[in-house]
Amino acid sequence: MSETPRSRETGGDTSTGLPQRRTGPAFAHTPHRSDGRSPQTPRGARQPGPAGRPGTTPPVPGRPAILLLLSLLGLALTTWQVLASGPLLTPDESLSRALVRTLPDSVTERLSDLGNVPVAVPVLVLAMAYSVRRSRAWAPALTAGLAMALVPAAIVPLKEWTARPGPLEPWAAGYFPSGHTATSAVAYIGAALLVSPYARRPWPVAVALFLTAATATGLILRGWHWPLDVLASCFLCTPLLLAVARVVRRAAAPEPVKAPARSA
């Protein structure tokens, strides 16, 4: 049986010339399916964040786990060095002697006061109330409150166990790790994590990091803590803040878009 040739009008151009650019649904910006269903990941179906911004790319799996592992290893290493009078104490003490009282005490004391419980904890409490009001969920606020409650529960036994003397008070003990640094980190960064999903810019985290760094700087320059005390507190607070960030991210995540039912 011979095949009936199709006309140029109905069968398309079968010449050997260069292909011409065609326009149509297949070349449009939005993907198109021949069966009428929406594409698997339509550009227009992305859900905005709580503040009305486009949804962001999910975090890469494994990064929080790596950060958690590094923080635990860092805390174990610094604690071991203090207990065993390891080689890290020599540069730690030399750095402290070089930095202590390089700024007026009136300045460094004010910076150190940012880590006081009456100053830092109310900031976290206000952020907790704001988070509950905006998200209608209690889990993020309760997680942040639990993280703050765990700070003294972890700091006090370590202070008693290590019994490290202070830079300006060698007769006293209980300086490792720094309680003021841990309080400021969990309070300010935890508060920033709670309000960040509803802020148009990432300024809460930047402010929280600045306040925490200012507290740590004031403690070191005033001579109330060794640099290693401050570093160990940062390691200790990292798992607590990772837990807060995880719960906040889950509470702020948009609900998945349900695919439309296929017609018979």
Side-chain angles (χ1 to χ4, degrees):
M1 179 181 293
S2 61
E3 180 179 357
T4 303
R6 292 178 294 176
S7 64
R8 190 180 297 265
E9 291 78 9
T10 59
D13 187 6
T14 59
S15 62
T16 58
L18 294 176
Q20 301 295 322
R21 181 179 180 180
R22 301 179 182 179
T23 59
F27 294 87
H29 186 68
T30 304
H32 178 76
R33 295 178 63 110
S34 59
D35 56 4
R37 290 183 294 162
S38 60
Q40 295 292 334
T41 55
R43 187 179 300 273
R46 295 180 183 176
Q47 294 296 312
R53 296 168 296 180
T56 56
T57 304
V60 178
R63 286 185 179 179
I66 294 175
L67 189 57
L68 174 63
L69 178 60
L70 291 177
S71 64
L72 293 178
L73 290 176
L75 179 61
L77 174 62
T78 52
T79 304
W80 167 58
Q81 289 294 292
V82 171
L83 290 173
S85 298
L88 287 181
L89 296 189
T90 300
D92 181 47
E93 295 172 357
S94 299
L95 180 61
S96 177
R97 286 191 293 268
L99 295 177
V100 166
R101 291 183 170 171
T102 54
L103 289 180
D105 290 350
S106 59
V107 176
T108 55
E109 287 179 4
R110 297 298 178 272
L111 295 177
S112 301
D113 289 343
L114 293 172
N116 288 340
V117 171
V119 177
V121 173
V123 176
L124 179 62
V125 173
L126 291 176
M128 292 167 60
Y130 180 80
S131 174
V132 172
R133 178 177 176 273
R134 290 297 303 269
S135 66
R136 305 297 181 184
W138 285 88
L142 292 179
T143 305
L146 178 61
M148 178 54 68
L150 289 176
V151 168
I155 291 289
V156 172
L158 282 175
K159 284 179 175 292
E160 295 179 353
W161 184 29
T162 56
R164 190 184 191 188
L168 301 181
E169 297 180 350
W171 58 87
Y175 281 81
F176 178 93
S178 169
H180 279 68
T181 303
T183 300
S184 63
V186 174
Y188 297 135
I189 301 178
L193 293 174
L194 291 176
V195 303
S196 287
Y198 316 103
R200 295 187 179 274
R201 297 183 181 275
W203 62 267
V205 175
V207 173
L209 292 175
F210 173 79
L211 293 175
T212 304
T215 305
T217 302
L219 293 170
I220 295 173
L221 297 184
R222 182 60 179 82
W224 281 334
H225 276 289
W226 306 98
L228 210 59
D229 302 346
V230 171
L231 182 61
S233 292
C234 295
F235 288 141
L236 186 146
C237 294
T238 299
L240 302 177
L241 294 172
L242 286 176
V244 176
R246 181 180 180 87
V247 176
V248 169
R249 184 168 61 248
R250 285 186 174 183
E255 296 182 358
V257 180
K258 295 181 180 181
R262 297 181 59 182
S263 58

